[in-house]
Amino acid sequence: MTPPSSPLTSPRSDRVKAVRALSRRSVREKTGRFLVEGPQSVREVVRHRPELVVDLYLTSDAVTRYGEVVDSARAAGLHVHEVSAEVLGAMSETPTPQGLAAVCRVPSASLEDVLAARPRLLVLLTHVRDPGNAGTVIRGADAAGADAVLVSDASVDVLSPKVVRSTAGSLFHLPVVTGLPVEGTIGRLREAGIRVLAADGAGTVLLPEVDLAPAHAWVMGNEAWGLEESVRDGCDEVVRVPIHGKAESLNLAMAATVCLYASAAAQRG
Amino acid sequence: MTPPSSPLTSPRSDRVKAVRALSRRSVREKTGRFLVEGPQSVREVVRHRPELVVDLYLTSDAVTRYGEVVDSARAAGLHVHEVSAEVLGAMSETPTPQGLAAVCRVPSASLEDVLAARPRLLVLLTHVRDPGNAGTVIRGADAAGADAVLVSDASVDVLSPKVVRSTAGSLFHLPVVTGLPVEGTIGRLREAGIRVLAADGAGTVLLPEVDLAPAHAWVMGNEAWGLEESVRDGCDEVVRVPIHGKAESLNLAMAATVCLYASAAAQRG
């Protein structure tokens, strides 16, 4: 085990407090750091985005249990620290961080970088407020092979612990661009030749009727009230997932996954 | 307002305690009653299954706010009781029951009834333990137009408050048969000429390759470990939702919704 770069034996140390403070959005924004917790997310950031990892903290149990994560981290030259369960517990607001957590740099990704890579399938989240929904949509976008996820300035912070956890590592698999103004982004997508499809229960076009082969972006709105009229009006089509039974609607994450897999089927056959 | 059939002014009354006890599975099984909370679920049970409603409880605020629910309930001859927020709060474990709750009879549905109706699309949940997942799958099955949801004896109780809430009313839109033995049920489905498709990340056949036009049932397994080998072996096909990106998997509810919408597209065009 690499010796810790500073003694980390007290749960009341300044360093532990600084890690815990990353549960606050203002601190994440000020420091440009966020916390990644649990085996799945930590494994994925170490594997796919090791350049983001500032410090990796593990209990001795976790060192034994997740040896392959420690090996990958060491191979990537990362700072690996063995700490007590008490210290790790004090770093996180989560009751059971399962023995490992990583302080990471906030990934930087820009809309221009995403567009330069000529994307075929994108998702734009607007006013999505529930962390679980946002994380699940990012995971679904990853699974469906989307090129990036774009997140509006009025949405939940995707670097909050709950969102990070619910992406199940997908946050580190594809570019996630945050803080975008909705209407300007829709305009920019259309200029780039990307069809912009609003997914909304108020849509007039049914999902199976839409040609999903050309490059397009799905715009997903708030869990409760959907998309604002001004946003819908800026899109090429407003598309509705058909409801065949008596359900009023699908939830956001389910609707997003159905739309994204319909896109994948059309683009990949 | 119909006068209450017995005074209901004390949150410590026996009647309030009896309602609250319905949060326990053993009490639900013994009494054959369960509690439905919140405007969406209560509205849907009153609208679609009024014969199940034993008593409807509302605060005076809720009587004003959800007037159409009260009107439907009265039109159906249901027992409607106006209670204080304190009494309603004591009936439920939910912190914010939003002013209305209904004590309902456990719906009875049998596999034989379901099969007699010549179903085209079914879901069988086995070992599903997370209430939110179970509820979301029932909601997705409803939206995709499935004919019924079958639930194994080793799954979460679909009449628990969390499952009821997460079905968003779908529990009252289609038959949900519970307590079924998994292997016997798969055998019975196949005898009835229904193809049985296991949905599993270990599947060898990809979803877009399966002919979903004939009548079939999707078998969904545990969130963490999927389907038991003996269950997979009893199915006609083990089908995998393709993962196009780097995600390890989809969660259960997302995978179920993608499968069910693929079925709906194949069967309904």
Side-chain angles (χ1 to χ4, degrees):
Chain A
M1 170 63 51
T2 310
S5 54
S6 74
L8 256 169
T9 51
S10 164
R12 284 168 298 282
S13 73
D14 287 346
R15 182 157 175 171
V16 170
K17 284 180 192 160
V19 174
R20 188 173 183 117
L22 296 176
S23 62
R24 299 208 302 276
R25 184 173 191 160
S26 60
V27 176
R28 292 194 293 273
E29 286 174 353
K30 197 173 131 197
T31 60
R33 302 275 189 273
F34 70 113
L35 190 65
V36 175
E37 298 167 83
Q40 190 173 29
S41 292
V42 170
R43 186 185 64 227
E44 295 305 294
V45 70
V46 167
R47 183 183 292 171
H48 294 281
R49 302 294 304 273
E51 77 283 6
L52 298 179
V53 179
V54 180
D55 285 294
L56 176 58
Y57 300 98
L58 301 96
T59 61
S60 56
D61 280 0
V63 168
T64 310
R65 189 157 175 197
Y66 305 109
E68 90 288 2
V69 175
V70 177
D71 292 345
S72 308
R74 282 183 175 151
L78 304 183
H79 297 285
V80 179
H81 311 270
E82 191 170 321
V83 296
S84 68
E86 197 190 2
V87 163
L88 197 76
M91 286 180 168
S92 160
E93 289 201 333
T94 312
T96 51
Q98 294 175 271
L100 66 177
V103 171
C104 295
R105 283 177 200 92
V106 167
S108 63
S110 76
L111 180 57
E112 294 312 312
D113 291 344
V114 166
L115 293 178
R118 298 186 169 267
R120 310 265 333 266
L121 180 58
L122 298 172
V123 184
L124 170 58
L125 298 180
T126 76
H127 295 276
V128 171
R129 298 284 163 78
D130 178 77
N133 275 335
T136 306
V137 173
I138 292 170
R139 181 176 174 185
D142 178 16
D147 297 291
V149 176
L150 314 176
V151 184
S152 80
D153 46 14
S155 289
V156 66
D157 181 9
V158 298
L159 303 177
S160 74
K162 278 190 186 165
V163 179
V164 174
R165 193 161 51 242
S166 61
T167 72
S170 289
L171 190 59
F172 310 113
H173 294 161
L174 77 174
V176 178
V177 185
T178 58
L180 295 168
V182 179
E183 291 172 33
T185 302
I186 291 175
R188 190 66 199 84
L189 292 169
R190 294 182 67 176
E191 279 167 29
I194 293 168
R195 274 170 66 76
V196 180
L197 307 175
D200 195 295
T204 44
V205 185
L206 284 172
L207 180 64
E209 295 163 1
V210 184
D211 179 8
L212 297 171
H216 59 276
W218 284 107
V219 183
M220 307 278 165
N222 180 268
E223 294 84 351
W225 40 263
L227 289 166
E228 288 165 300
E229 208 180 319
S230 61
V231 171
R232 287 204 304 266
D233 289 350
C235 295
D236 291 293
E237 302 269 15
V238 183
V239 180
R240 179 162 52 93
V241 176
I243 302 289
H244 302 293
K246 294 175 194 146
E248 205 172 282
S249 63
L250 289 169
N251 75 28
L252 175 70
M254 295 161 81
T257 309
V258 169
C259 290
L260 285 160
Y261 266 88
S263 298
Q267 293 187 341
R268 295 163 185 262
Chain B
M1 174 58 59
T2 310
S5 53
S6 73
L8 257 169
T9 50
S10 165
R12 284 167 300 281
S13 72
D14 287 347
R15 182 155 174 174
V16 170
K17 284 180 191 158
V19 173
R20 187 174 184 117
L22 296 176
S23 61
R24 299 208 300 275
R25 185 172 190 159
S26 59
V27 176
R28 292 194 293 273
E29 286 174 353
K30 196 173 132 196
T31 60
R33 302 276 188 273
F34 70 115
L35 190 63
V36 175
E37 298 168 82
Q40 191 173 29
S41 292
V42 170
R43 187 185 64 227
E44 295 306 294
V45 70
V46 168
R47 184 184 290 172
H48 293 282
R49 303 292 304 273
E51 77 282 7
L52 298 178
V53 180
V54 180
D55 284 294
L56 176 58
Y57 299 97
L58 301 97
T59 61
S60 56
D61 279 0
V63 168
T64 309
R65 189 158 174 198
Y66 305 108
E68 89 291 0
V69 175
V70 177
D71 292 345
S72 308
R74 281 182 177 154
L78 304 182
H79 296 287
V80 179
H81 312 271
E82 191 171 322
V83 295
S84 68
E86 196 189 1
V87 163
L88 197 76
M91 286 180 168
S92 160
E93 289 199 335
T94 313
T96 50
Q98 295 176 273
L100 66 178
V103 171
C104 295
R105 285 177 197 93
V106 168
S108 63
S110 75
L111 181 58
E112 292 313 312
D113 291 344
V114 166
L115 293 177
R118 299 184 167 270
R120 310 266 333 265
L121 180 57
L122 297 172
V123 184
L124 169 58
L125 298 179
T126 75
H127 295 276
V128 171
R129 298 283 162 82
D130 178 77
N133 275 337
T136 305
V137 173
I138 293 171
R139 182 175 174 185
D142 179 15
D147 297 293
V149 177
L150 313 175
V151 184
S152 81
D153 46 11
S155 289
V156 65
D157 180 8
V158 298
L159 302 177
S160 75
K162 278 190 187 166
V163 180
V164 174
R165 195 162 47 244
S166 60
T167 71
S170 290
L171 190 59
F172 310 113
H173 294 161
L174 77 176
V176 178
V177 185
T178 58
L180 295 168
V182 178
E183 290 170 37
T185 302
I186 290 173
R188 191 64 197 85
L189 291 170
R190 295 181 67 175
E191 279 167 29
I194 294 169
R195 273 169 70 75
V196 180
L197 307 175
D200 195 295
T204 45
V205 185
L206 285 172
L207 179 64
E209 294 163 2
V210 184
D211 180 8
L212 297 170
H216 60 275
W218 284 108
V219 183
M220 307 277 163
N222 181 268
E223 293 83 350
W225 42 262
L227 288 166
E228 288 164 301
E229 206 179 320
S230 61
V231 171
R232 287 204 303 266
D233 288 350
C235 295
D236 292 291
E237 302 269 16
V238 183
V239 181
R240 177 161 53 92
V241 176
I243 301 289
H244 301 293
K246 295 173 193 150
E248 204 172 284
S249 63
L250 288 169
N251 75 28
L252 174 70
M254 294 161 83
T257 308
V258 169
C259 291
L260 286 160
Y261 266 89
S263 299
Q267 294 188 340
R268 296 165 185 259

